[in-house]
Amino acid sequence: MWAGLGAAALALTSVAAVPPARGEPSASAVRGEPSASPVSLATGEASTTTRPAWSLKATGTDARFRGLAAVSRSTAWTAGTKGTVLRTTDGGASWRNVSPPGAEGLEFRDVEAFDGRRAVVLAIGEGEASRVLRTDDGGATWTESFRNTDAKAFYDCMTFFDRRHGLALSDPVNGKYRILSTADGGRSWKVLPDRGMPKAQEGESAFAASGQCLVNSGSRHVWLATGGAARARVLHSADRGLTWTVTDAPIPGGDPARGVFGLAFRDRAHGIAVGGDYRADQQSPRAAATTTNGGRTWRPAAKPVPAYRSGVTWLPHSRRTALAVGPTGTDLTTDGGRSWRTVDGGSYDTVDCARDLGCWAAGEKGRVARLERG
């Protein structure tokens, strides 16, 4: 723990203060921009004091990590391409490759960890490519607990309410999103009835970009993010996925590449949505929104994130501070998501924080970073 520092007092330095991966130039150097000053998470203002910043941790792989589970400052799991699963228990100083045997052809996009030994990973894809595996011994052995047999289903992400109860999300099957449920920590799964699920729009789907298209708060509330259709939407369930309501989100849709990519809720009422257009050559206006009533209504950010963002997380024990990440940088809000400021130019796809202020980010080319004290 950082003595004397609460979550609201953390800070991120500029990209110039964070060493780029594998000899890559910093984003500011590529753009020819001057280095920015460190930015305080407490105020969003420039700081002359070195403060905590993203610090890249060598992982020894070039896998792209879109699945991330922050257990603590010392322990984290990440999952990605080529069936890769890594685990650290020493704050990222070393990583153990705990990939399931024979999983090289799988694309892991989500990992949910209960501690340093127990975790569940989700592989995406059509038909049998969508699978769920669980370990109880830190990845030494894995058990496949679900393999999709419906050619129409494509699973994207999952979330757990506690150590036993969790859900996994598939793109629409026969016009409705499909929900898997577990009551034994991911050891077994069943498809929930879809009677309480609203109809999907034509072309609508969820984005398996960060493991955050399905998120929960508390023991029963869960939200689902959508895109790819005429309107981007957020669905909400207050009964662990049995019945759902749906609300349009102000993040632009109208294209298969646009919509809501990531959600974060700090309680049952207050949430943030981020997204945009994932194509690098397309602009992403109005790519962030907030809710204060559990998703019944959403309001666009007054000053949104400046580009496509796939991951978002609240800072622990904070009511106003959150981080959003994407391929072109990290953004900070200190007013609950109403305005955002870019504070780092490194490429990350997903971000997660543990209750002890252990905040991690992960992305392409094996990039994993932890928020470190400067």
Side-chain angles (χ1 to χ4, degrees):
M1 189 71 71
W2 299 316
L5 288 179
L10 297 177
L12 290 174
T13 59
S14 69
V15 65
V18 181
R22 294 178 176 85
E24 297 173 356
S26 70
S28 59
V30 171
R31 294 189 298 263
E33 298 174 359
S35 300
S37 298
V39 178
S40 167
L41 287 183
T43 65
E45 299 299 326
S47 169
T48 58
T49 304
T50 301
R51 298 287 187 175
W54 287 132
S55 175
L56 287 167
K57 307 297 182 181
T59 61
T61 178
D62 62 355
R64 186 165 194 166
F65 294 119
R66 296 183 184 270
L68 175 67
V71 176
S72 67
R73 278 187 48 76
S74 61
T75 301
W77 298 69
T78 190
T81 58
K82 297 180 286 189
T84 307
V85 181
L86 303 184
R87 178 180 65 106
T88 183
T89 56
D90 57 11
S94 64
W95 293 85
R96 182 178 178 185
N97 188 330
V98 295
S99 305
E104 294 82 2
L106 298 180
E107 295 286 322
F108 291 127
R109 294 296 182 91
D110 202 353
V111 55
E112 302 289 329
F114 309 114
D115 50 40
R117 296 185 62 79
R118 292 174 290 180
V120 181
V121 294
L122 172 76
I124 69 160
E126 296 178 349
E128 293 191 358
S130 285
R131 305 179 193 182
V132 179
L133 297 89
R134 178 185 164 108
T135 182
D136 290 296
D137 54 14
T141 61
W142 292 86
T143 301
E144 182 180 298
S145 58
F146 172 77
R147 182 180 297 203
N148 175 47
T149 58
D150 190 331
K152 299 177 182 177
F154 185 114
Y155 286 85
D156 300 287
C157 47
M158 60 184 174
T159 192
F160 275 80
F161 302 96
D162 52 44
R163 291 176 181 265
R164 293 190 301 133
H165 300 91
L167 302 176
L169 166 70
S170 166
D171 287 338
V173 176
N174 298 326
K176 292 185 176 182
Y177 287 97
R178 175 168 288 179
I179 303 294
L180 276 183
S181 175
T182 181
D184 57 11
R187 295 179 179 88
S188 64
W189 298 82
K190 65 178 181 180
V191 176
L192 292 182
D194 65 2
R195 292 187 298 273
M197 176 68 71
K199 289 184 178 180
Q201 302 174 84
E202 183 68 27
E204 192 177 33
S205 63
F207 291 110
S210 61
Q212 296 178 343
C213 60
L214 187 72
V215 302
N216 76 284
S217 180
S219 63
R220 304 189 70 81
H221 289 263
V222 60
W223 293 263
L224 186 170
T226 84
R231 303 182 309 280
R233 307 194 298 173
V234 177
L235 283 69
H236 170 239
S237 172
D239 54 13
R240 290 186 181 166
L242 292 175
T243 60
W244 298 79
T245 57
V246 61
T247 304
D248 288 351
I251 293 175
D255 187 278
R258 298 176 189 156
V260 180
F261 282 74
L263 296 169
F265 277 78
R266 67 172 173 81
D267 54 35
R268 297 177 185 177
H270 297 86
I272 295 173
V274 298
D277 190 318
Y278 68 75
R279 296 171 295 192
D281 61 343
Q282 297 295 313
Q283 298 296 312
S284 291
R286 308 193 308 280
T290 62
T291 181
T292 58
N293 56 17
R296 291 194 298 272
T297 59
W298 290 85
R299 180 175 298 176
K303 183 182 178 182
V305 293
Y308 159 69
R309 296 293 182 253
S310 52
V312 61
T313 190
W314 291 91
L315 270 289
H317 319 297
S318 172
R319 297 173 60 86
R320 298 169 60 84
T321 304
L323 295 170
V325 299
T328 61
T330 297
D331 304 307
L332 164 73
T333 179
T334 56
D335 57 11
R338 290 187 293 275
S339 62
W340 296 84
R341 178 178 177 180
T342 301
V343 292
D344 185 279
S347 174
Y348 299 104
D349 293 310
T350 187
V351 62
D352 192 27
C353 291
R355 291 187 59 81
D356 70 348
L357 308 184
C359 292
W360 299 79
E364 63 180 341
K365 299 180 181 179
R367 288 171 61 92
V368 180
R370 190 183 71 170
L371 203 63
E372 298 280 9
R373 187 172 182 175

